[in-house]
Amino acid sequence: MSGNEIRQRFLKFFEKHGHTIVESSSLIPHDDPTLLFTNAGMVQFKNVFLGIEKRPYKRAVTSQKCVRAGGKHNDLETVGRTARHHTFFEMLGNFSFGDYFKREAIMYAWEFLTEELGLEKERLWVSIYKDDNEARDLWIEVTGISKHKIIPLGEEDNFWQMGDTGPCGPCSEILYDRGEKYKCGDSCGIGKCDCDRWLEIWNLVFMQYDRDKDGNLTPLPKPSIDTGMGLERIASVMHNKASNYDTDLLSPIIEAIENLVGRKYDLGKSGFPFRVIADHIRACTFLINDGVIPSNEGRGYVLRRILRRAVRFGKSLGLNEPFMYNLVPVVVKIMGSAYPDLVKNQDHIQKMILGEEERFHETLHEGMKAAEEIIARTKKNNSQVINGADAFMLYDTYGFPYDLMADIAEEHGLEVDREGFEKAMEEQRCRAKAAQGNNEGFLDIRAYAELLSDYQSTDFVGYDHTVLNTEIIGIIKDKSLVQSAGKDEEVGILLPETPFYAESGGQVGDTGIMETESGIVRINDTRKLPDGKFIHMGVVEEGTISVGQNVEAKIDDERRKDIARNHTATHLLHKALREVLGEHAQQRGSLVAPDRLRFDFSHMHPLTPDELNEIEKKVNENIIKNIEVDIFYTSYKEALNLGAVALFGEKYSDEVRVIKIGEYAKELCGGTHVSNTSEICSFKILSESGIGSGLRRIEAVTGKRAYEEFKNKEQVLNELSSLMKTSSDKVVDRTKQLLNEIKDLERQLESMQSKLAKYEADRLLDEAVNVDGVKLLAAKVEAKDMDALRSTADILKEKIGSGVVVLGAVVDNKVNFVAMATKDTIEKGVHAGKLVGSIAKIALGGGGGRPDMAQAGGKDPGKIEEALNAAEEILKAQLNGT
C-alpha cells in the first residue's frame, strides 16, 4: 500500500464516519503569530478549540503539511540520525469539536489500523495518562486489548496542552511493536527507552479540561478530540521497513541522490548525508510553495538554514555545484497528486532554490577565506580556542555549521568555544522569535472572545449600506464590558449589524461616526474576531452613550470609495503582473488603504523600466475600458473551476465571494470594490523594490492621489523647464546637452589639476631634507580625497628618484596621510607602513601598509603639522634600526 494510498484511505475512512475532509492549511499559520510554522494537524483548528471560531461541521479529517524546524518544536539537528524524525512530514488527523469523545476516538483508531490497514492486533500496544482510568477501561471494552498491554505514563509523556493556559487533557498513544530484533536491551520497554522497537504511530488527545493561570483544571462543557498520526511512520509499518527513508515517500529521492553522486546509499552512518538531503528537499519544496522566501530573519531564515545545511552535506558527497533544484521534480512526482500546487509552481520553486544555492556557493568560498583569517588571528594571539562569536559569525553570515568550523579548527590544532557559540546562537534565536511578531494581538483576541462569548456574530451589511440605524448591544472599555461611556473615553462598540468593514484581506478597517440621542462616537478603526464579531474602536467625542440606545452608524463614505478604488486596482495589478512577468508572480501580501496600495509578489529580479511601464499601461487600459465589476457567490471548488484566483495564506469557507472584472480578472475576495473600473480614474506606480530574496513590492496610487502625483511631476517638469530655459518637451535633450558640457569641463579641470600638481610637486621638492643619506619630503598639501593624495605622492616619488615621501591633507575635517618609499631606501630599513602608522597616532588615528606604500588616517586636524614634523625622527630611527 503506497503512502499516497494510505493518505487517501485515511481521509475516506473518516469521511464514511461523518467527518468533513478539510484541505491541509498552509505551512505559514494563518493569523497566529505564536507559531513559526504549522507543526501539527490541530493548528488550523486552534480557534475552534478555543471557542472563538465556529465551523459548519463538528467532525473533521485532514492530512496536514507540517514543519518542525524552528522555535519550540525543532527536529532539524535530529534529521537523518534517527529513522523517523523529519523537518517536513504529513500528519493524518481526525477531530471532534464537542461531538464524540474517547469511546468513538478509540473505536475509530482501532478499526482503521486493524481492519482498514490490516495491522496485527498482537503488535499493537497502548499508553495512557496514569490517572486516566476511563481511557484504560474503554481500551479494554472497545478493542479487547489485554490489560498488560496498556502502559500508564506521566504528564510529560501523556498529557497534552495547547499552552500554559487553555484547553488540555490526557492523551493515549498507540504503539507498534516491531519485534525482538529491534530490542535495545533487558530494560527495553514503553516509557523506559526510546529505541526502534516501540514505534509511536498515533496519538489520541482527549481535550477535556481548561487550565487557568494558577494551574487549576476545570472540565470543558464540550470535550473534544484531536488526533495525529505521522504518514511517514505508518507507511514504514505498512511497507515493513526499518526507516521512514525506505518508504516510497522518500526512497525515490534517495535514488535520485545516488544517481547524482554515483554511489549507493548505505542504511548506516555513511548514509546520513543522503537522509538529510532527502528530508530537506521536501521541506524546501513545500515551504517555498507556501510562500516562504530565503532570508536572514524569521521563517525565511529557517528555510535558508535548511537549504544550506543540505548543500553542505551535498559537498561531503562530492556535489560541488548546485544540485538541490534538480531534486524538486522528484518531490513533485511523489507528492503532486495530493498537492497539485506543487506541479503548477515547480519551475518557480526550482528557480528559487537554484538562486539560493548559487548565492551559498559564493558565500561558502568567501566564508573559507574568513575562516582562515580567524584561525590566523587566533594563532597570532597565542590562543588555542577560536572565539565562539567568530564561529557563530561564520555560521550566521556564511552558513558554516558548527561542526564544519570545529573540523577546520582541529586541522590547525585548535578548538572552538562551544559555549560562546551557543550563547551567540541563543541571541539569534531571540531575534528570530522577535521576528515572529508581537503575540499580544493573538492573546487580545482570545481575551475579547471570552469577554464576548455570549454575543452573536455581527451581520455585515456594508456591501449595500454606508449608513445604518441599529442598536448598541455592547460597550467595551479597558477590556471590560460596561453599560455606558462618556466624553473622551476610548471604547469598543458592538452592534448586531454594521455597515463598517473590519480589517481583513489586506484592506484596512472603516472609520466614521456613530450618533445616539445623547452622544457622538468617532470610530477610528474596525476589527473582527475569528468568530465574526465586529468591534468598532473609537472615542466618545460628545455626551454619553449607553447599551440599548438606538444609534446611527455612518461610515466615512469618501474614504471607503478611495479604498475601493485601490482594492479593485490591486486585482488589475495582480493580473497585469502575471501577464508581463509570468504566472509565478503571485500575491504574497498587500495593504489597501485610502491613500495608497501596497502589493507584495513573488519574483526573483528587480523589474525593468520597460516592465513597469507595461504593467502600469495594462492597468490603465483596463480602467479606461469602463469594465463592469461583477460580484457573486459560489462554492470554493466551482470558483476555482471558473478560473478565479485564490490568494496565498487565506482561509476560505465552502461558499466564497468572487470579484469578476469582465473577462480580465477573477479573484476570491471579501473586500469592497468599485462597480466599474472607470471609477478608479487612473493608476500610477510610485515605487518598486525588493523586500527579501525572491520577493518584490510595488506601491501605487489611484484616483485623486494619482492625479496629485501627475500634477507634482508636472510641476517639477515645469520648474526644470524654467531653470534650463527650454520648453518641457525638450528638457531631456537640454539635460543631455548640459551633462556633456559638464563632462567636458570636468576633463578640462582634471587636466589643469594635473598640471598644477606637477607644478606643486616641483615647488615641494625644494622642501626635501636629508636624513642620514636618505631624502625625506614631509609636507601638508591640498587634496579632495585619498585618491588625489596618493596621485600627488606618486608624482613626487617619481620626481624624487630616491627617497621617502610623506604627505598629509585635511579632508572632511579628518586627516589623511600617505607614505611612499623607493626600493633602495627599503633596503636600508625604511618601512612606509610603520612610518605612516606612527605619524597617524600623533593625530589620534592609525593605519599602515606595505614597506613601499601605505596610508593612514587621523581624527585631529590640528595635529597634522606636528605629525608631519615627526616624520624626520621616525625615519632616522628606522635607518638606525631602533
Side-chain angles (χ1 to χ4, degrees):
M1 191 183 295
S2 70
N4 283 327
E5 189 179 348
I6 295 169
R7 182 196 301 112
Q8 196 61 21
R9 283 203 183 192
F10 182 85
L11 296 173
K12 289 298 181 183
F13 172 84
F14 280 97
E15 184 182 43
K16 182 176 69 178
H17 289 286
H19 294 65
T20 297
I21 297 176
V22 180
E23 281 190 17
S24 171
S25 64
S26 169
L27 286 169
I28 301 175
H30 181 79
D31 287 341
D32 187 352
T34 65
L35 280 178
L36 201 59
F37 298 112
T38 299
N39 57 23
M42 60 75 60
V43 169
Q44 69 165 306
F45 303 115
K46 190 172 183 178
N47 286 340
V48 182
F49 284 123
L50 288 170
I52 58 179
E53 181 185 351
K54 287 183 172 58
R55 298 281 179 99
Y57 44 80
K58 290 187 175 182
R59 299 181 175 198
V61 59
T62 67
S63 179
Q64 175 64 49
K65 301 173 290 186
C66 298
V67 163
R68 292 186 178 175
K72 180 182 176 183
H73 300 283
N74 186 355
D75 289 338
L76 184 59
E77 301 300 332
T78 317
V79 167
R81 302 183 192 281
T82 71
R84 55 187 179 271
H85 285 93
H86 301 287
T87 53
F88 171 86
F89 62 97
E90 286 184 84
M91 187 176 283
L92 306 174
N94 58 291
F95 306 88
S96 165
F97 311 117
D99 186 22
Y100 64 80
F101 198 44
K102 292 182 184 178
R103 174 181 293 276
E104 293 86 347
I106 290 169
M107 178 183 70
Y108 291 144
W110 193 259
E111 183 182 337
F112 180 76
L113 292 176
T114 61
E115 296 181 23
E116 189 73 21
L117 297 189
L119 295 185
E120 299 172 50
K121 295 179 182 180
E122 293 73 22
R123 286 184 175 271
L124 298 179
W125 290 62
V126 171
S127 69
I128 60 168
Y129 179 55
K130 59 184 177 64
D131 297 332
D132 194 359
N133 296 326
E134 180 189 10
R136 180 198 61 203
D137 294 343
L138 283 169
W139 275 110
I140 295 170
E141 178 189 339
V142 171
T143 72
I145 193 171
S146 299
K147 186 176 180 180
H148 81 278
K149 294 177 77 176
I150 302 173
I151 312 298
L153 296 174
E155 188 165 326
E156 184 178 341
D157 293 301
N158 278 64
F159 196 92
W160 182 93
Q161 57 190 57
M162 190 177 293
D164 294 334
T165 61
C168 59
C171 56
S172 195
E173 192 112 40
I174 303 174
L175 301 99
Y176 183 80
D177 181 3
R178 299 173 67 201
E180 286 282 334
K181 66 178 179 179
Y182 291 101
K183 185 176 179 180
C184 63
D186 293 338
S187 61
C188 181
I190 297 169
K192 298 177 183 177
C193 66
D194 191 30
C195 75
D196 287 338
R197 175 175 179 177
W198 310 102
L199 188 64
E200 301 166 350
I201 55 174
W202 202 341
N203 192 22
L204 314 180
V205 177
F206 308 130
M207 218 177 291
Q208 64 187 94
Y209 300 113
D210 186 16
R211 190 192 295 271
D212 66 21
K213 64 180 186 302
D214 298 319
N216 299 314
L217 298 177
T218 304
L220 290 169
K222 291 184 177 180
S224 297
I225 290 293
D226 158 26
T227 84
M229 173 165 61
L231 175 61
E232 293 79 8
R233 289 196 185 193
I234 191 63
S236 73
V237 172
M238 295 302 296
H239 296 172
N240 194 26
K241 299 292 184 181
S243 166
N244 294 357
Y245 293 93
D246 301 331
T247 69
D248 68 340
L249 294 168
L250 283 141
S251 62
I253 308 174
I254 299 277
E255 290 170 12
I257 300 167
E258 286 179 329
N259 292 333
L260 285 173
V261 301
R263 76 176 203 236
K264 283 291 180 184
Y265 163 66
D266 181 82
L267 297 175
K269 189 175 180 181
S270 64
F272 176 53
F274 288 79
R275 293 189 289 273
V276 171
I277 295 167
D279 170 271
H280 287 10
I281 188 56
R282 297 206 315 162
C284 292
T285 299
F286 274 90
L287 284 170
I288 293 170
N289 187 62
D290 278 5
V292 183
I293 306 292
S295 69
N296 285 328
E297 58 185 18
R299 297 181 178 103
Y301 177 75
V302 176
L303 170 58
R304 173 164 283 170
R305 188 179 170 202
I306 292 170
L307 180 51
R308 293 188 169 188
R309 189 168 187 262
V311 173
R312 268 293 310 142
F313 280 105
K315 287 183 80 69
S316 74
L317 294 175
L319 296 170
N320 295 311
E321 298 294 330
F323 68 93
M324 286 283 282
Y325 76 103
N326 284 322
L327 296 174
V328 173
V330 186
V331 177
V332 174
K333 185 176 181 181
I334 299 167
M335 310 294 281
S337 60
Y339 301 99
D341 273 3
L342 290 177
V343 180
K344 184 176 73 174
N345 297 327
Q346 179 178 314
D347 287 347
H348 169 64
I349 296 166
Q350 284 190 273
K351 286 176 184 175
M352 187 72 71
I353 290 177
L354 174 59
E356 183 64 15
E357 284 191 89
E358 288 173 339
R359 278 188 291 275
F360 182 47
H361 278 285
E362 290 171 9
T363 57
L364 199 60
H365 176 70
E366 294 299 315
M368 286 304 297
K369 290 196 289 188
E372 289 165 5
E373 289 174 7
I374 289 169
I375 288 166
R377 186 167 67 245
T378 304
K379 288 181 175 180
K380 186 178 179 182
N381 293 335
N382 295 319
S383 173
Q384 297 298 306
V385 181
I386 291 173
N387 187 290
D390 284 340
F392 182 76
M393 181 277 291
L394 288 172
Y395 171 80
D396 193 39
T397 306
Y398 301 105
F400 269 47
Y402 174 85
D403 52 4
L404 172 63
M405 190 58 215
D407 289 344
I408 296 170
E410 188 178 354
E411 290 170 9
H412 292 268
L414 306 172
E415 58 185 62
V416 181
D417 171 19
R418 183 72 192 237
E419 190 175 328
F421 178 86
E422 294 296 344
K423 182 183 177 183
M425 175 72 87
E426 184 57 35
E427 290 170 357
Q428 175 67 286
R429 286 195 186 104
C430 292
R431 288 193 293 273
K433 189 175 181 182
Q436 294 177 43
N438 192 327
N439 294 343
E440 289 182 7
F442 177 79
L443 299 175
D444 281 350
I445 285 174
R446 187 177 177 197
Y448 278 124
E450 291 173 355
L451 186 68
L452 306 177
S453 59
D454 294 334
Y455 290 82
Q456 295 296 314
S457 298
T458 309
D459 184 15
F460 175 62
V461 297
Y463 294 135
D464 304 309
H465 301 278
T466 58
V467 182
L468 185 71
N469 288 311
T470 182
E471 176 190 359
I472 296 176
I473 59 172
I475 300 173
I476 304 168
K477 188 173 71 174
D478 298 326
K479 295 185 181 179
S480 297
L481 286 168
V482 297
Q483 287 300 305
S484 63
K487 184 173 170 54
D488 296 331
E489 289 185 325
E490 293 184 359
V491 294
I493 295 177
L494 278 80
L495 309 174
E497 61 272 321
T498 181
F500 284 76
Y501 182 88
E503 179 183 326
S504 62
Q507 179 174 326
V508 298
D510 276 335
T511 63
I513 293 289
M514 289 189 186
E515 187 170 358
T516 70
E517 61 183 6
S518 60
I520 297 174
V521 183
R522 179 164 296 281
I523 302 301
N524 299 318
D525 197 5
T526 309
R527 298 292 181 90
K528 181 171 63 173
L529 298 181
D531 60 358
K533 300 183 183 84
F534 284 43
I535 302 175
H536 307 81
M537 306 169 79
V539 178
V540 180
E541 286 196 333
E542 293 182 22
T544 61
I545 58 167
S546 302
V547 173
Q549 281 188 317
N550 291 328
V551 62
E552 182 185 64
K554 183 178 181 181
I555 69 167
D556 184 335
D557 194 28
E558 284 303 309
R559 181 176 181 273
R560 164 77 78 82
K561 287 176 181 175
D562 288 335
I563 292 170
R565 289 185 185 97
N566 285 333
H567 206 152
T568 306
T570 63
H571 287 217
L572 294 174
L573 173 60
H574 192 190
K575 178 65 174 180
L577 282 165
R578 298 201 310 278
E579 284 183 331
V580 175
L581 305 178
E583 285 299 318
H584 68 275
Q586 299 289 324
Q587 179 174 338
R588 289 294 181 257
S590 69
L591 170 69
V592 180
D595 59 334
R596 73 192 193 285
L597 66 90
R598 188 180 72 212
F599 194 85
D600 301 338
F601 59 98
S602 49
H603 188 61
M604 293 298 293
H605 309 290
L607 272 63
T608 66
D610 285 346
E611 287 171 335
L612 285 171
N613 287 336
E614 182 64 18
I615 290 161
E616 189 173 270
K617 178 184 173 186
K618 281 180 176 290
V619 174
N620 281 298
E621 282 176 348
N622 282 287
I623 291 170
I624 294 166
K625 283 179 182 177
N626 197 31
I627 304 171
E628 290 292 326
V629 177
D630 296 321
I631 299 172
F632 62 92
Y633 293 84
T634 186
S635 70
Y636 178 69
K637 287 185 178 178
E638 179 59 23
L640 295 185
N641 289 337
L642 291 171
V645 175
L647 300 184
F648 153 78
E650 289 296 318
K651 287 200 295 188
Y652 296 102
S653 58
D654 289 337
E655 185 180 68
V656 293
R657 184 169 179 260
V658 180
I659 310 299
K660 180 174 176 285
I661 306 173
E663 295 305 316
Y664 185 67
K666 299 186 194 78
E667 282 193 21
L668 308 187
C669 181
T672 59
H673 289 267
V674 298
S675 58
N676 188 293
T677 59
S678 62
E679 295 172 38
I680 300 170
C681 300
S682 58
F683 171 85
K684 178 63 184 168
I685 293 175
L686 299 180
S687 65
E688 189 273 337
S689 59
I691 55 171
S693 176
L695 203 58
R696 310 298 299 175
R697 170 173 290 171
I698 281 178
E699 298 202 45
V701 287
T702 65
K704 296 190 294 286
R705 304 288 180 181
Y707 172 75
E708 290 168 5
E709 182 66 20
F710 290 128
K711 289 302 291 181
N712 289 338
K713 291 281 196 303
E714 184 182 31
Q715 184 178 343
V716 170
L717 183 60
N718 289 337
E719 288 178 9
L720 285 172
S721 299
S722 177
L723 287 169
M724 295 182 178
K725 296 181 172 53
T726 188
S727 59
S728 59
D729 61 326
K730 293 180 180 176
V731 164
V732 174
D733 291 338
R734 179 65 177 143
T735 302
K736 289 178 179 177
Q737 180 187 344
L738 288 172
L739 287 172
N740 287 332
E741 289 175 8
I742 289 168
K743 286 178 182 177
D744 287 340
L745 290 170
E746 285 176 343
R747 280 193 289 268
Q748 292 176 36
L749 181 61
E750 279 182 26
S751 177
M752 292 296 293
Q753 285 176 333
S754 178
K755 290 176 183 176
L756 188 61
K758 288 177 181 176
Y759 170 78
E760 180 72 3
D762 289 337
R763 185 186 66 78
L764 287 172
L765 284 173
D766 293 336
E767 297 180 15
V769 297
N770 189 303
V771 180
D772 292 346
V774 173
K775 278 186 187 178
L776 168 66
L777 173 58
K780 179 184 176 184
V781 297
E782 296 294 325
K784 65 177 182 179
D785 52 29
M786 181 59 86
D787 287 341
L789 189 63
R790 278 199 304 268
S791 180
T792 303
D794 276 328
I795 293 168
L796 288 167
K797 180 184 172 185
E798 186 180 340
K799 284 182 172 291
I800 205 169
S802 171
V804 178
V805 176
V806 181
L807 300 182
V810 177
V811 180
D812 296 331
N813 207 34
K814 291 182 181 178
V815 185
N816 284 350
F817 292 108
V818 67
M820 293 187 180
T822 58
K823 186 176 180 181
D824 60 315
T825 62
I826 294 170
E827 293 170 355
K828 293 179 180 179
V830 176
H831 193 292
K834 293 177 181 176
L835 175 60
V836 81
S838 299
I839 289 169
K841 286 180 182 176
I842 297 169
L844 305 181
R850 304 192 307 267
D852 63 322
M853 196 282 283
Q855 61 190 49
K859 298 176 184 176
D860 188 352
K863 300 268 188 182
I864 188 170
E865 300 281 2
E866 181 184 344
L868 290 167
N869 290 337
E872 186 173 338
E873 287 302 318
I874 296 167
L875 177 60
K876 187 178 288 187
Q878 285 191 355
L879 293 169
N880 294 327
T882 59

